[in-house]
Amino acid sequence: MLKVPIKGNWNLYQSDARLFMITYAIIVIAILLLFIRKIGAFKFMSFVMAIWYVLAVVAVYFTANNYTKYDFANKLIGKVVHFQWGWIVFLVGVLFMLFSTKRGEKIIAQTSL
């Protein structure tokens, strides 16, 4: 999720463990709702996940740019810490969740006698 010089690549758990746990809790709840066929609740959790994605990106960005109390060090860290392709995969997953269900018309079976 992040490329940190000297330390290497960091995943979401290494950058912020609480963020990681909340993210996976939302995903697990959404999957559970999908399996018990509560589509309305799944749509709501998808919306929550989309908002959480935006908050996570902002939180990680500000954490990388405000890591120390020294302004010079913050600017230096902000320039060398880069987002990786994992955020794009995360975004694609959120978009799949958002657009995976749609309001459909009820199909009424007609039988001819």
Side-chain angles (χ1 to χ4, degrees), residues 24-37:
Y24 272 84
I26 293 171
I27 292 170
V28 166
I29 292 169
I31 290 171
L32 179 66
L33 291 170
L34 188 64
F35 277 117
I36 61 173
R37 297 183 185 263

Side-chain angles (χ1 to χ4, degrees), residues 45-95:
M45 288 307 291
S46 299
F47 184 70
V48 168
M49 190 65 188
I51 292 171
W52 185 251
Y53 174 80
V54 172
L55 290 175
V57 169
V58 170
V60 170
Y61 175 78
F62 281 120
T63 300
N65 288 314
N66 296 315
Y67 195 70
T68 66
K69 61 181 177 179
Y70 303 109
D71 220 16
F72 173 74
N74 285 336
K75 289 179 183 176
L76 183 65
I77 291 171
K79 289 181 182 177
V80 296
V81 174
H82 300 287
F83 286 91
Q84 294 259 292
W85 57 269
W87 289 100
I88 295 171
V89 173
F90 191 10
L91 176 63
V92 168
V94 169
L95 292 176

Side-chain angles (χ1 to χ4, degrees), residues 1-2 4 16 18 20 24 31 33 35 38 50 68 103 109 113:
M1 297 296 247
L2 293 174
V4 181
D16 191 348
R18 288 175 291 178
F20 171 80
Y24 272 84
I31 290 171
L33 291 170
F35 277 117
K38 299 290 183 184
T68 66
R103 186 179 307 256
L113 296 173

